[in-house]
Amino acid sequence: MPVSRRPVDLARFLPLSPQVLHVLLALGQGPLHGYALIQRVRDQTSDEIRLTASTLYDALARLVDQGLIEEVDPPDAGGDARRRYYAMTGVGRDVVKAEVARLERAVQRARVALNARKGTSR
């Protein structure tokens, strides 16, 4: 008999910090080890977010505890055995989608507010 999953309250994870959002987005492209995550986040943010190793590993531990990511086997057998690889879970993917939707709503409200502001004279 299949185990039914209880719906997860995604709102309890939100809002995500920019660093955590970008770590999850990087893992959305596939499993990565810590140093590769640091590099991917720098690349995908055009160097706006620069993670230190301690910041990253604290975030990874928290994300594993929350069930948003999990430690996985290295994608290739010839890799460095000391490296730990991480992948996003299904819940992690749902949280990222919820955060992106939240940010899109915020941007839309900001555009409306700024456009309304243009119509007023001061």
Side-chain angles (χ1 to χ4, degrees):
M1 176 180 250
V3 177
S4 64
R5 270 188 13 179
R6 295 164 104 190
V8 176
D9 178 16
L10 301 177
R12 73 183 175 103
F13 297 104
L14 305 180
L16 297 177
S17 71
Q19 294 85 356
V20 167
L21 174 61
H22 285 285
V23 165
L24 291 172
L25 289 171
L27 290 173
Q29 299 172 36
L32 293 169
H33 58 80
Y35 182 72
L37 270 167
I38 289 171
Q39 293 302 115
R40 176 81 51 86
V41 168
R42 284 180 71 176
D43 291 346
Q44 74 189 14
T45 64
S46 300
D47 231 12
E48 286 182 17
I49 296 178
R50 302 181 97 193
L51 298 172
T52 64
S54 63
T55 300
L56 175 68
Y57 288 105
D58 286 346
L60 291 174
R62 201 168 45 255
L63 292 168
V64 167
D65 287 346
Q66 292 173 331
L68 302 184
I69 66 172
E70 61 189 352
E71 193 171 332
V72 296
D73 292 331
D76 58 24
D80 186 340
R82 295 172 294 176
R83 288 187 168 160
R84 291 180 164 184
Y85 282 79
Y86 299 90
M88 191 170 11
T89 64
V91 173
R93 189 168 306 281
D94 291 344
V95 168
V96 168
K97 288 177 183 177
E99 177 67 352
V100 168
R102 185 189 73 78
L103 291 170
E104 286 174 336
R105 289 188 304 272
V107 167
Q108 184 58 36
R109 287 189 297 269
R111 285 189 176 127
V112 168
L114 290 172
N115 285 333
R117 182 83 176 143
K118 286 180 186 177
T120 62
S121 60
R122 277 197 170 202

